[in-house]
Amino acid sequence: MATLLQVKNLTKSFGSVIANNNISFEVNAGEIVALLGENGAGKSTLVKSVFGLLRPDQGEIYIDGKQMAPGDTAAVIASGVGMVHQHFQLVPVMSVTENIILGDEPKDGIFISIKKAEKKVRALSEKFGLAVDPTANIEDLPVGMQQRVEILKALSKDVRLLIFDEPTAVLTPQETDELILVIKNLAQLGVGVIVITHKLREVMALADRVVVLRDGKVVGTTTPKQSDEAGLAQMMVGRNVVLEVSKGAANPGQPVLSVKGLEVFDDRKLLAVKGVDLQVRSGEILGIAGVEGNGQRELVEAICGMRVRAKGEVLVGGMGTKDMHPHAVHEAGLSHIPEDREKHGLVSSYSIADNLILNRFDQQPFARGWFRNMSAIKKNADLLVKKFDIRTTSPAALASALSGGNKQKVVIARELSQDLQVLVAAQPTRGVDVGSIEFIHKQLIAARDGGAGVLLVSAELDEIISLSDRIAVMSGGIIVATIDNKNADRDYLGRLMAGLSA
Amino acid sequence: MVGVVTKMTKSVMRSKKTIYLYLVILAIAIAYTINSVSTVAVAASSITFGLPLAMAAMVGIMCERTGVVNIGIEGTLLTSSFFGFFVAALSQNLIWGLIAAIASGAATGLLLALLTVSWKMDQIIAGTIVNILATGLTSFFYKQGYSLPAIFPRWSIPGLAEIPFLGRVLFQSGPITYFGLIFILVLYFAIYHTPWGLRTRAIGEHPSSADTSGISVLRIKYTNVVIAGAFGGLTGAYLTLELVGSFDRGFSAGKGFTALAIMIFGRWNPIGALLAAVFFGFAQALANQLMIDGLVNIPGPFINMLPYVLTIVVLAFSAGKVRGPAAAGQPYEREKA
């Protein structure tokens, strides 16, 4: 096999932080290499250096044996490297075709030939079996389809090495399975593939070779055949990780959260939640499984008071919460781990200490009259940072300086550090590394065992199955079935999620 | 499905636009039949008053389409009309004045690019710097008692100038008018139909998508902001060397700010902005003509207020409804880590 990419002794630091420390690896034609590592291990930095988006401090990058000048993206693209970015590099108001041809536009005289361009897009989409509508606008497409455009954009430039940066972070399980097939297909066509991920199941399903990074260094190279999920997790985290969640039997009591006949509109003013009834009892976890975009987000937002309810009612601890403001719903006893922690969970420009009291800043002991009680805030922060294992240099550091997993720990620490009746956790482990996932799962179970009713919404079916006591499946804006976890079965749930009557 | 809906909306829009066009033509025809002299005068002044606003709006469009908010257009106009006037007056040569105006306009563009693109300064503050610098320099060096040898003459285009109505309105104008109008049309096609335009729009909307496609964001931003500055310089030259023939302190009189309103009203589209500017020009020309004809008696200051009042009205109605380039106002920085 021909060596496509060779990275030799690459080092890159940001200030005093060494993101990549003397890294060497290579990729052959037709090979799928997974770069595995926790958040902050230096995976993204590494591929950005390869792609010329960052300038490494030291080290050499060879493509087809030819050394690349550092930081020259155009040259890297010209030598046949494409990248599918984690945050899609697509212009939302432009069409699929315009996005794909950007930077390499087919011309008719001095003008762009949209006809030629659309023909090119159609040909590409046929060649790789990725169906898209060339005239559709990006902003009208679902996330999975946008990623398809992003892949086609990368493939449009005669690509021989394709880099995927966390490609499944935003995908549903079905879309993930599809993507795995697409990547395998590409490798069969001779394309070398680098996949960055921290999801072990995908690595096992996908990779020919796994390069594991930890703290900016390569800690090992292996293959899925030689290793298993537990072994990979251990390499990645540097210690033993319990992947299975161990929990005792639930001890459900009175209903603490009741939703009756709830109807909610989405941002486009379409009915997204079409009459949902559910009950969460104290001391149990009710999981809501479903393909994303079936009304879960709107359901959660309506329950927490962040979205207007068109019809129906939500009772927290038996108390109606009609027209209540999110803060009032919180006072009524409901804590919320929001789906989008950057937008709704944290203020990135505030310190960790301030983020830890965001919902209680005006209450004793954090406020005394009109003034903030700095010593109480600091004491609280020191305590929670320790208890929830938030990895930071200081509680006074800005939240924006934390990794994804640690940001999530801040949100969870804040929401769980008080008496709570109901906890609504939406996608609590999204974009979080394995070590933190384990910790977060333990905290959710601890909240349950402490007598709270937990409503867990997650796109990860495995997470739902391993944590929930009861599972409600949501599809098309309604709860299609609620089953006891003893009867849970991936296939059966998958069919319900897809909207098929089981 | 989405495609069909878009096509249907587009055809409805097109027919709506056609209806508006017919209505305008009809109104002009009726007015022309009733009073041909006044109608021609109003139409010609609409272009005269509207053109500098349209040209200045192009400066804003070129910059914002590449993600640079330019509130320094006023400063560009002031600087370039100052240099245009004094270089022409001192050398007694309009061409030198024209060159000086364009060069000084480009220099203000270069300053803005340096501040916002390279140094990533807040774009509103950078634009304010350009404006304050322009006001300071032109007031400080201003001297009375200079005059131009002439202004740019009108060129009648043979044949076209004889067309009734249109000939007088469009084809008996000065050279900068012709060039300005042609430039606006060219800019329209360039923005929507050339690789440069696609890249420019991509940078204005989502710069990292251009960067990751191997396009130099920095180079395009610089080029566009400097060219826009040069065109702003030409606008200044139009004001002093083709339209008025003199210069005074605070000569640009807020045209650079009105141009921003016109840019928004025209939805960042050159043709849209041209039409919006002609509409602004029309409002002023109409008020002037009504007064000259003695049909109404509005005190002069109220007529002079018109562009500013219209600006407020337009912005009040379009604010929040129109969507400009998403990345305008944000300096582009590659994401770290």
Side-chain angles (χ1 to χ4, degrees):
Chain A
M1 271 194 293
T3 306
L4 263 180
L5 170 78
Q6 197 171 17
V7 175
K8 277 189 189 167
N9 310 101
L10 188 137
T11 297
K12 170 79 191 170
S13 47
F14 297 104
S16 61
V17 182
I18 303 175
N20 286 163
N21 191 350
N22 202 20
I23 289 183
S24 302
F25 77 107
E26 71 229 5
V27 182
N28 299 319
E31 186 188 30
I32 304 174
V33 174
L35 283 183
L36 180 68
E38 292 195 278
N39 285 330
K43 300 164 299 194
S44 286
T45 306
L46 179 58
V47 292
K48 279 184 179 161
S49 296
V50 169
F51 199 60
L53 289 171
L54 289 173
R55 234 172 241 275
D57 306 331
Q58 269 170 43
E60 292 137 35
I61 296 162
Y62 297 89
I63 297 172
D64 277 335
K66 213 178 90 195
Q67 189 172 358
M68 291 283 122
D72 189 349
T73 308
V76 174
I77 292 174
S79 20
V81 180
M83 183 155 167
V84 174
H85 300 265
Q86 181 180 8
H87 306 287
F88 300 152
Q89 298 302 329
L90 301 171
V91 184
V93 296
M94 289 187 182
S95 73
V96 169
T97 304
E98 286 179 310
N99 269 289
I100 290 176
I101 61 172
L102 182 64
D104 185 21
E105 301 85 356
K107 281 182 286 189
D108 220 358
I110 59 161
F111 293 118
I112 293 176
S113 167
I114 267 299
K115 259 191 205 145
K116 276 188 208 164
E118 281 178 3
K119 221 171 113 188
K120 183 178 164 186
V121 172
R122 286 214 173 82
L124 266 176
S125 126
E126 250 167 58
K127 179 175 168 196
F128 295 104
L130 296 165
V132 288
D133 172 6
T135 59
N137 261 5
I138 296 297
E139 59 189 350
D140 299 331
L141 297 177
V143 173
M145 192 61 94
Q146 289 187 14
Q147 184 174 55
R148 210 173 256 205
V149 178
E150 177 93 358
I151 296 172
L152 282 173
K153 180 179 167 183
L155 292 172
S156 71
K157 281 146 194 154
D158 231 355
V159 156
R160 286 167 312 128
L161 174 67
L162 194 52
I163 303 168
F164 288 86
D165 188 359
E166 305 255 3
T168 60
V170 290
L171 298 186
T172 62
Q174 275 80 354
E175 286 171 330
T176 302
D177 291 344
E178 259 175 58
L179 179 71
I180 289 177
L181 288 179
V182 168
I183 293 177
K184 286 193 159 172
N185 186 27
L186 287 173
Q188 295 224 308
L189 294 169
V191 177
V193 179
I194 299 177
V195 181
I196 293 187
T197 182
H198 54 247
K199 294 190 186 168
L200 301 167
R201 217 151 66 86
E202 288 159 18
V203 172
M204 297 302 288
L206 195 63
D208 297 319
R209 207 147 51 82
V210 189
V211 176
V212 186
L213 296 182
R214 188 168 73 227
D215 297 331
K217 284 182 226 154
V218 175
V219 290
T221 303
T222 177
T223 65
K225 280 189 197 115
Q226 291 166 2
S227 188
D228 57 8
E229 290 192 27
L232 289 174
Q234 193 184 353
M235 277 172 92
M236 185 167 140
V237 184
R239 60 179 168 84
N240 264 319
V241 180
V242 186
L243 291 173
E244 291 294 313
V245 182
S246 58
K247 62 172 200 264
N251 190 9
Q254 292 302 306
V256 285
L257 174 70
S258 306
V259 175
K260 291 177 190 163
L262 188 65
E263 291 187 11
V264 187
F265 290 100
D266 65 11
D267 294 334
R268 293 170 301 170
K269 309 265 184 281
L270 301 173
L271 204 58
V273 177
K274 302 169 183 166
V276 162
D277 296 280
L278 57 83
Q279 267 197 348
V280 184
R281 293 168 295 178
S282 69
E284 73 163 353
I285 297 180
L286 174 67
I288 296 196
V291 178
E292 255 184 283
N294 276 281
Q296 299 95 318
R297 173 180 303 162
E298 288 78 10
L299 174 68
V300 166
E301 289 182 356
I303 289 175
C304 300
M306 291 161 66
R307 188 177 278 276
V308 177
R309 301 164 191 159
K311 235 186 222 167
E313 58 179 332
V314 177
L315 304 173
V316 175
M319 186 166 83
T321 57
K322 192 168 182 291
D323 297 332
M324 268 192 193
H325 181 274
H327 193 59
V329 178
H330 175 259
E331 308 267 274
L334 181 140
S335 284
H336 177 205
I337 300 169
E339 173 179 340
D340 187 341
R341 62 176 162 266
E342 305 283 341
K343 201 165 159 191
H344 297 130
L346 293 166
V347 181
S348 336
S349 57
Y350 283 9
S351 69
I352 294 165
D354 281 345
N355 271 295
L356 285 168
I357 54 147
L358 268 190
N359 52 10
R360 279 172 297 163
F361 69 96
D362 56 349
Q363 291 165 16
Q364 292 278 7
F366 305 118
R368 272 186 306 219
W370 286 12
F371 294 95
R372 280 152 46 84
N373 181 351
M374 289 311 194
S375 66
I377 293 171
K378 185 172 180 302
K379 222 171 102 191
N380 175 64
D382 288 338
L383 188 81
L384 292 182
V385 163
K386 204 164 165 205
K387 186 174 166 203
F388 286 84
D389 188 29
I390 300 163
R391 309 265 172 91
T392 171
T393 47
S394 147
L398 296 187
S400 57
L402 295 173
S403 72
N406 281 302
K407 281 181 185 165
Q408 190 72 335
K409 284 186 196 166
V410 171
V411 175
I412 288 172
R414 179 182 69 221
E415 298 299 328
L416 296 188
S417 62
Q418 52 196 317
D419 286 338
L420 72 170
Q421 288 189 314
V422 184
L423 174 68
V424 176
Q427 321 289 357
T429 57
R430 171 163 292 174
V432 162
D433 52 83
V434 178
S436 303
I437 289 175
E438 182 193 8
F439 182 83
I440 291 167
H441 284 172
K442 276 189 189 153
Q443 293 300 325
L444 293 180
I445 290 168
R448 177 199 80 166
D449 293 342
V454 180
L455 181 68
L456 169 71
V457 178
S458 173
E460 303 281 347
L461 194 48
D462 292 337
E463 181 167 79
I464 294 280
I465 293 175
S466 59
L467 287 178
S468 309
D469 301 307
R470 286 187 302 139
I471 298 172
V473 182
M474 200 164 174
S475 172
I478 55 169
I479 304 281
V480 289
T482 306
I483 58 170
D484 208 88
N485 195 13
K486 287 184 215 104
N487 310 325
D489 161 71
R490 271 188 78 88
D491 285 344
Y492 174 66
L493 288 171
R495 280 201 301 278
L496 287 171
M497 283 162 68
L500 305 171
S501 51
Chain B
M1 179 60 200
V2 178
V4 174
V5 174
T6 331
K7 261 180 209 153
M8 277 171 56
T9 350
K10 268 188 187 157
S11 78
V12 171
M13 293 281 283
R14 212 172 288 142
S15 64
K16 218 170 157 186
K17 274 183 195 160
T18 327
I19 290 170
Y20 286 142
L21 182 68
Y22 286 144
L23 283 177
V24 169
I25 293 174
L26 186 69
I28 294 174
I30 292 172
Y32 191 75
T33 336
I34 298 171
N35 184 343
S36 64
V37 178
S38 293
T39 306
V40 168
V42 168
S45 314
S46 304
I47 303 284
T48 315
F49 293 141
L51 184 75
L53 296 176
M55 288 174 71
M58 297 308 129
V59 181
I61 290 174
M62 286 185 71
C63 291
E64 288 209 8
R65 285 286 191 181
T66 12
V68 176
V69 171
N70 185 351
I71 66 155
I73 304 175
E74 180 73 8
T76 301
L77 295 185
L78 193 57
T79 310
S80 56
S81 39
F82 172 86
F83 280 102
F85 178 79
F86 282 99
V87 171
L90 290 169
S91 66
Q92 289 292 301
N93 184 336
L94 288 180
I95 299 297
W96 282 118
L98 180 66
I99 292 170
I102 293 173
S104 59
T108 60
L110 189 64
L111 174 64
L112 185 72
L114 192 71
L115 295 176
T116 60
V117 182
S118 297
W119 297 347
K120 306 183 198 305
M121 188 189 260
D122 182 283
Q123 299 181 358
I124 299 300
I125 295 176
T128 308
I129 289 176
V130 171
N131 286 335
I132 292 176
L133 195 66
T135 315
L137 282 180
T138 57
S139 310
F140 186 75
F141 289 108
Y142 176 74
K143 277 208 179 70
Q144 276 184 319
Y146 288 90
S147 64
L148 292 180
I151 56 172
F152 279 114
R154 292 173 176 276
W155 294 349
S156 288
I157 297 182
L160 292 176
E162 269 85 68
I163 305 172
F165 185 72
L166 273 186
R168 171 70 185 81
V169 173
L170 276 181
F171 300 111
Q172 297 179 21
S173 312
I176 302 180
T177 306
Y178 293 130
F179 183 83
L181 288 172
I182 291 168
F183 183 89
I184 291 171
L185 294 181
V186 169
L187 185 62
Y188 170 79
F189 282 104
I191 283 183
Y192 292 105
H193 299 286
T194 66
W196 167 81
L198 186 70
R199 293 168 184 198
T200 295
R201 282 184 290 138
I203 291 171
E205 290 289 342
H206 197 235
S208 60
S209 68
D211 192 13
T212 51
S213 306
I215 295 165
S216 169
V217 176
L218 201 82
R219 193 185 314 151
I220 293 194
K221 280 194 169 201
Y222 256 92
T223 316
N224 288 3
V225 174
V226 172
I227 292 178
F231 190 68
L234 186 71
T235 314
Y238 169 80
L239 290 172
T240 43
L241 306 180
E242 184 166 308
L243 186 65
V244 185
S246 64
F247 179 86
D248 240 320
R249 285 199 176 93
F251 178 73
S252 44
K255 286 194 179 57
F257 295 114
T258 309
L260 286 173
I262 285 170
M263 168 188 80
I264 294 169
F265 196 26
R267 302 185 172 215
W268 290 265
N269 174 329
I271 302 283
L274 175 63
L275 294 176
V278 170
F279 171 70
F280 269 60
F282 168 73
Q284 187 150 27
L286 183 70
N288 281 347
Q289 191 65 37
L290 290 176
M291 226 172 48
I292 292 167
D293 290 350
L295 289 172
V296 290
N297 187 13
I298 313 167
F302 282 93
I303 297 214
N304 295 335
M305 259 160 61
L306 209 62
Y308 310 108
V309 174
L310 268 181
T311 304
I312 294 174
V313 171
V314 161
L315 288 183
F317 279 97
S318 55
K321 281 182 203 146
V322 292
R323 188 164 68 162
Q330 302 158 9
Y332 177 61
E333 235 167 328
R334 280 180 172 176
E335 211 185 319
K336 285 202 185 127

